[in-house]
Amino acid sequence: MKINRIDHISVAVRNLKQARETWEPVLGKPGPDHTYVDEREKIRVARYWLGETAFELMESTAPDRDVARYIEKHGEGVMVVSLNVDRTREAVDELAAKGYPFIPDSTGQVARPFKDREFAFIHPRNMTGVLTELIDDNPRRPKGP
Amino acid sequence: MKINRIDHISVAVRNLKQARETWEPVLGKPGPDHTYVDEREKIRVARYWLGETAFELMESTAPDRDVARYIEKHGEGVMVVSLNVDRTREAVDELAAKGYPFIPDSTGQVARPFKDREFAFIHPRNMTGVLTELIDDNPRRPKGP
């Protein structure tokens, strides 16, 4: 198993609009490179490319879902570190065999779909508090320096 | 101001030895690429290169210092996101002029020395809970894909 790179990190924020105003001068960006709403995960995201890694600001679109609950427990901060692998399912199989606990989604799947990629979460209580994601390589990321 | 890349992220952990055992199979590494103790910051660190970004596990070497206090307040997790810039002092000046609060070290310096680089921290309360670091480019990082 090999990690290609940190695919993205996601910061759980209370208010995406305010967080954008805070972060954009520091990121040196006039706005996000991409925004999206993930209806399954109930998150609204602003994504900024920093080199080969994406930096995401993420707010909950539902008061009782994971991002809102994370903030209630820990405060705002980096909730997800996503590790880019060649094949998510192979990485999941390798780590599950070693006893790492993956979090199934509401349908019971461990490998969750996102566009043409799949991703999976290892439980943060087993990963020093970090919600650790494995995700398939993304052929659309920016190339070069 | 331009961010070149995410220089490193640092996970505050209670026990570095146990955290290494947890993380190394997931990082796909038999051990750290580098370890160091920073006597000024009172941290012991294991550092792993994941592409162009370093992933650090960091424990406190003193019970009353920042890493220990972070864990007491938030639990273990990603404490620092470090953004690589061409010149730390210029980035600090630009952001301080916009009102971003930097944290001086015990000697009152904002730009802190680390080997041949300098780094500076923006206060996490102004950055959605993220202790945000700016750091000079590192000519010794691995090159290539």
Side-chain angles (χ1 to χ4, degrees):
Chain A
M1 176 168 164
K2 182 180 173 297
I3 304 301
N4 297 319
R5 62 186 170 279
I6 299 180
D7 191 274
H8 60 275
I9 64 174
S10 304
V11 183
V13 303
R14 287 197 176 86
N15 180 306
L16 184 57
K17 184 169 175 290
Q18 284 176 14
R20 285 184 50 179
E21 288 170 9
T22 295
W23 275 98
E24 286 171 6
V26 176
L27 300 177
K29 301 258 189 183
D33 293 303
H34 183 56
T35 58
Y36 65 91
V37 174
D38 187 329
E39 296 292 353
R40 293 167 59 104
E41 305 293 331
K42 300 290 182 203
I43 51 174
R44 182 179 295 112
V45 175
R47 171 173 265 233
Y48 306 81
W49 283 106
L50 301 178
E52 66 184 14
T53 295
F55 178 92
E56 292 188 342
L57 300 171
M58 159 176 87
E59 73 176 359
S60 193
T61 60
D64 59 337
R65 289 294 295 269
D66 298 354
V67 170
R69 286 189 299 199
Y70 177 90
I71 291 172
E72 200 175 311
K73 191 167 176 186
H74 302 283
E76 294 179 301
V78 179
M79 177 176 161
V80 178
V81 173
S82 177
L83 303 173
N84 186 288
V85 294
D86 284 341
R87 284 171 295 277
T88 295
R89 288 187 181 223
E90 285 180 18
V92 167
D93 289 347
E94 181 179 329
L95 292 173
K98 291 179 178 169
Y100 286 84
F102 284 85
I103 306 173
D105 70 9
S106 56
T107 68
Q109 292 184 91
V110 161
R112 308 176 186 210
F114 179 66
K115 300 184 181 170
D116 53 348
R117 308 164 79 184
E118 286 185 328
F119 64 99
F121 287 123
I122 311 176
H123 202 292
R125 90 174 150 248
N126 298 71
M127 299 305 297
T128 60
V130 180
L131 180 54
T132 306
E133 181 177 303
L134 302 169
I135 191 163
D136 285 322
D137 204 6
N138 179 0
R140 291 191 307 280
R141 79 185 171 97
K143 300 293 181 197
Chain B
M1 176 168 164
K2 184 180 172 296
I3 304 301
N4 298 317
R5 61 188 170 277
I6 299 179
D7 192 273
H8 60 276
I9 62 174
S10 304
V11 183
V13 303
R14 285 197 177 86
N15 182 306
L16 185 58
K17 183 168 177 290
Q18 284 175 16
R20 285 185 49 178
E21 288 169 8
T22 295
W23 275 97
E24 286 171 6
V26 176
L27 300 176
K29 301 260 188 180
D33 293 303
H34 184 56
T35 59
Y36 64 91
V37 174
D38 187 329
E39 297 291 354
R40 292 168 59 103
E41 305 293 330
K42 299 292 182 200
I43 51 174
R44 183 179 294 110
V45 175
R47 171 172 265 233
Y48 306 82
W49 283 106
L50 301 178
E52 66 185 16
T53 294
F55 178 93
E56 292 188 341
L57 300 172
M58 157 175 90
E59 75 177 0
S60 194
T61 61
D64 60 338
R65 288 294 294 268
D66 298 353
V67 170
R69 286 190 298 198
Y70 177 89
I71 292 172
E72 199 174 311
K73 190 166 178 187
H74 302 283
E76 293 179 301
V78 178
M79 178 177 161
V80 178
V81 173
S82 177
L83 303 173
N84 186 289
V85 294
D86 285 340
R87 284 171 294 278
T88 295
R89 288 187 181 223
E90 285 181 20
V92 168
D93 289 346
E94 181 179 329
L95 292 172
K98 291 178 178 168
Y100 287 84
F102 285 84
I103 306 173
D105 70 8
S106 56
T107 68
Q109 292 184 95
V110 161
R112 306 176 187 211
F114 179 65
K115 299 182 181 173
D116 53 350
R117 309 165 79 186
E118 285 185 328
F119 64 97
F121 288 122
I122 310 175
H123 201 290
R125 91 174 150 248
N126 297 71
M127 300 304 299
T128 62
V130 180
L131 180 53
T132 306
E133 182 177 303
L134 302 170
I135 191 164
D136 284 323
D137 204 7
N138 179 357
R140 291 189 308 278
R141 80 186 169 98
K143 298 295 182 198

